Each structure stands twice: as C-alpha cells, then as structure tokens.
Amino acid sequence: LHAEGRGVRQDDREAFRLFGLAAEQGLAATQFNLAMFCENGRGVPQDVGEAARYYRLAAEQGQKMGQFKYRLCLDQGKGVQQDYREAACLYGLAADQGYGKAQFNLAVLCEHGMGVPQDDAEVARLYRLA
C-alpha cells in the first residue's frame, strides 16, 4: 500500500522496510519487489548488486519474474559476474512456465550458442512459443 499510496501516504522508504520484513520470511514476491526498489533506487540508494541478490532469492523459489530479471543480471553482468550458462538455465525455468520474454531470450542464446549448445530446432521451437 505504501509503495502505491493506496489508502496511506505514498512512502517508498516505508514500503521498502515492510517488504524487507516480508522478504525475511521467504516470500518470493516481496523479494522481487525489494529487488525492483534496489535496482531503481526507490526508498533506498540504487544498488544493482543488492537488486541481483534479491532477484536470485526470488528466482530460487520459482518466481518467474525473479528468474527472468536475475537472468538479465547474469546475461549483462549487472551486479553479478556475467554467466551465460546460468542465464540460459534460468531462462529455461521461466520459459517452462510459459513466460514469453524468457522463451524469446533463451532462443537468442541457443541461436548463438551462448551458455547452451547451438540448436536450430530448439531455436525455432522457442521462437514459435514466444
């Protein structure tokens, strides 16, 4: 509510604090929200390393947007060391959940043999799904 100002005064710092309490309980959705706040500097100074950490926590719990965003961090070396193989693995997890952007990005990695073997049949399948 504080993040959007619904029923209360909009307050990014308070929203971040409350998301943090929920994230400590292992809630993937709030870990993802914390990552977004860290990445964009909402309520806290911008910190892409901390954003990547929270994306990873959400991803490890199967949160598809967390998997996608952490994969982007790995793909771009944003807050973490660049790792195409791990990025492809996470794209695969999100793609298996039907997330079109992940299917597309995994197809690109497969097309260029980045982190996964080059596989034209898989590339075509993934582009069709996306």
Side-chain angles (χ1 to χ4, degrees):
L1 299 176
H2 287 280
E4 299 171 5
R6 292 182 13 218
V8 295
R9 180 178 56 84
Q10 195 273 339
D11 184 342
D12 285 342
R13 282 190 182 154
E14 181 63 5
F16 185 85
R17 186 186 75 77
L18 293 171
F19 283 144
L21 294 174
E24 288 174 10
Q25 303 300 311
L27 299 174
T30 58
Q31 291 165 339
F32 178 80
N33 287 338
L34 282 174
M36 294 291 291
F37 272 55
C38 290
E39 182 177 16
N40 297 307
R42 283 188 65 189
V44 293
Q46 186 178 30
D47 185 338
V48 293
E50 194 68 357
R53 186 176 79 81
Y54 283 119
Y55 285 138
R56 180 183 52 79
L57 290 172
E60 288 172 348
Q61 294 188 71
Q63 208 268 356
K64 70 180 178 181
M65 287 298 296
Q67 290 168 341
F68 180 75
K69 291 290 279 186
Y70 185 57
R71 193 281 328 149
L72 284 175
C73 292
L74 290 166
D75 192 17
Q76 299 169 0
K78 190 174 176 182
V80 294
Q81 184 174 344
Q82 191 174 42
D83 185 342
Y84 290 122
R85 186 173 57 205
E86 180 67 13
C89 179
L90 287 171
Y91 272 143
L93 293 173
D96 289 345
Q97 295 180 59
Y99 190 53
K101 288 182 180 180
Q103 292 163 338
F104 178 85
N105 288 344
L106 182 56
V108 171
L109 292 181
C110 287
E111 186 173 9
H112 299 284
M114 298 167 65
V116 292
Q118 191 173 7
D119 182 340
D120 290 339
E122 181 67 358
V123 169
R125 184 186 77 80
L126 288 165
Y127 278 136
R128 278 193 300 276
L129 288 172

